[in-house]
Structures are given as C-alpha cells and as structure tokens.
Amino acid sequence: MPVSTAKETEGSVMAALRSPKRLRIEILAGLVVALALIPEAISFSIIAGVDPSVGLFASFTMAVTISIVGGRRAMISAATGAIALVIAPVAKQYGLDYLIATVILAGVLQIVLSVIGVARLMRFIPRSVMVGFVNALAILIFMAQIPHLLGVPWLVYPMVALGIGLMVFLPKLSNVVPAPLVAIVLLTAATLVLSLNLPDVGDEGELPSSLPAWMIPDVPYTLETLSIIAPYALAMALVGLLESLMTAKLVDDITDTHSDKTREGWGQGVANVVTGFFGG
C-alpha cells in the first residue's frame, strides 16, 4: 500500500471507529472544543456587533464543512476574534445581510487564492513570526474575556482561579481526560449542586433553539454593493488564510508531520461560503 494511502486510512473516520483508544481521544477532543467554542463564539459575536446565534451558527457550519472538504488534523476552523475585528465595521454600518454577503465573497476569494498557490508562500514565513501570531491570538482571546470578569459576583474569581489551577496542574497527574474538560464538568456540576449565583452563557444573549437554515443575503446585486463589501472580504480572506495556514504550519512543526496547506486554504473558503448561506 502506498504511504499516502496508509496515512489517509490512519486518519479516516473508519480508522477511528475501529480503534477504541482513538475513538476515545477523538470524542474527548471534540467535547473540549465544542464546550470551549460556545462562550468564545458568543464573545466574538459581540465583538463583531451581531447576535450570538450568528457566531454559534458560524462555528457549527464551518467546523462540519471543513472537516469534510479540507482542513488539517488536530485543527478546527470556527468563529475567531481576528475575523470579528475585520468585519465588525460592515455589521455596524450596513447590517447583517451585508456582513453575510462579505463572508460569502471572502470564501470565494480564499478558494481562488488557494488554487493559484498562495498557500505555498507559507514556507517563506519565519517560525518566530508564526509563534508571535499565535501568541497574539491568545492575547486577543484573553482580552475578549476581561469584560466578563468585571462587575460580576465575587464567586466568579475563585471559580476562575480553580479552573485555571485544574488546567495547569491536572496534566501533571494524568492525561487520560483533557484538563479543560474536567474543569468545565467539575465547575459546572459544583455550580448546579450548590446553586451558586454565577453568570452563565445565556446571559450574553438569546441562544438559538434550532439548527441554522438556508438563507440568501438580501442585498442589491450591484457594483455599489461589491465596492462596499470587496475590501472587507479581501481583508477577511487574507487574515483567515494567514491565521489558519500559520497555525497549520506550527502544528506541523510541533507534531513533526506534514499537511496540505492548499487544501486547508480552499477548504476554509468552501466552509465560509457554506457558512454565509446558513447565516453565519
């Protein structure tokens, strides 16, 4: 069997289903990401100036789509702070429909840029730039949480400290279950059992009660509309590609494996197009 085929088989869904150990890892990783994405997507929706359901729909449709059409193993695409900052002016000045149109156009641009080989230019970016970029994203995510730590009941602070402590020290004892998942489950259970008065995700806005539905943005199909959304779409496409491709390269280095950057790029483009047509 060719090496490439063997690797594809090893990373396939069927391979995970046939291996209890692998399936456990995949399920636990999926749970951690899913639980972490909910408050993160809501926070980034607030940054972008849209309803929390928009960020949640985006995270859902992007994750499902890119897992099928492309994307590197050990990575996931969803709503991000960098993109929220780029497209926030569109939502503020022109409304949700223009934002959705911008997302769709950005997805098309990502597909075009990936097909013409932009992803191959990643080899010229130094590792120090990649590490700095990822650290900057971590800082952005941290800063997005600061408002949620101000003007809250005092019980929030010991719970935050306990959660951080679990994530820092639990891996030193065992890696059987991801530390973030343990922290989420234990702190949530403690809050419910003890009936603690703590703010929750629902306080940030009304959560959707149904799956995203197909929609077409209600915008005029004119050159004027294109002139409005094109600059933001290009910025979104470039920032999204840079963010994903640099992260993929960093994961390559950490895991000592190779990933197809072109597939990652056009896969993200397809995911953005699908996401736009589902209101994300």
Side-chain angles (χ1 to χ4, degrees):
M1 179 181 292
V3 176
S4 59
T5 305
K7 288 182 179 179
E8 290 171 3
T9 303
E10 180 186 355
S12 67
V13 174
M14 293 306 299
L17 292 175
R18 293 192 184 100
S19 170
K21 179 181 178 181
R22 180 67 171 280
L23 185 60
R24 177 183 65 82
I25 293 173
E26 298 289 353
I27 291 175
L28 290 176
L31 280 172
V32 172
V33 173
L35 292 172
L37 273 181
I38 295 173
E40 188 177 65
I42 291 175
S43 295
F44 294 151
S45 296
I46 295 171
I47 292 174
V50 296
D51 190 82
S53 62
V54 176
L56 291 170
F57 287 163
S59 294
F60 169 74
T61 52
M62 281 210 73
V64 172
T65 304
I66 201 167
S67 67
I68 297 171
V69 301
R72 194 203 189 288
R73 293 173 59 193
M75 275 182 58
I76 186 168
S77 291
T80 69
I83 298 299
L85 290 173
V86 169
I87 61 176
V90 180
K92 183 178 181 180
Q93 297 178 38
Y94 302 102
L96 180 62
D97 285 293
Y98 276 83
L99 183 145
I100 299 301
T102 302
V103 172
I104 295 172
L105 179 58
V108 173
L109 291 174
Q110 285 179 323
I111 294 172
V112 173
L113 290 171
S114 299
V115 169
I116 64 178
V118 168
R120 290 194 290 270
L121 299 177
M122 289 301 299
R123 65 180 182 271
F124 297 112
I125 298 179
R127 178 180 172 82
S128 57
V129 174
M130 293 187 292
V131 174
F133 186 85
V134 174
N135 287 337
L137 292 178
I139 293 171
L140 181 63
I141 293 172
F142 174 76
M143 294 302 295
Q145 308 309 312
I146 295 297
H148 303 289
L149 297 176
L150 302 176
V152 294
W154 68 270
L155 276 174
V156 170
Y157 302 109
M159 295 291 276
V160 170
L162 183 57
I164 294 174
L166 286 170
M167 289 188 287
V168 171
F169 296 108
L170 188 59
K172 301 180 185 298
L173 302 176
S174 174
N175 287 319
V176 175
V177 180
L181 182 60
V182 174
I184 292 171
V185 172
L186 286 182
L187 296 183
T188 302
T191 301
L192 294 175
V193 171
L194 300 176
S195 299
L196 301 179
N197 181 25
L198 295 171
D200 55 31
V201 173
D203 296 332
E204 300 301 322
E206 186 177 355
L207 300 180
S209 57
S210 61
L211 292 174
W214 178 266
M215 67 165 288
I216 297 176
D218 184 17
V219 298
Y221 295 95
T222 62
L223 288 177
E224 182 182 358
T225 299
L226 183 62
S227 67
I228 292 172
I229 67 174
Y232 295 102
L234 180 59
M236 178 184 173
L238 293 175
V239 171
L241 285 176
L242 283 171
E243 186 174 358
S244 287
L245 296 179
M246 283 201 282
T247 305
K249 183 65 172 63
L250 195 65
V251 175
D252 288 353
D253 295 342
I254 294 173
T255 60
D256 195 24
T257 56
H258 173 73
S259 61
D260 188 339
K261 307 301 184 300
T262 298
R263 181 178 178 183
E264 173 73 32
W266 69 255
Q268 186 178 120
V270 173
N272 268 317
V273 172
V274 173
T275 295
F277 281 116
F278 279 94

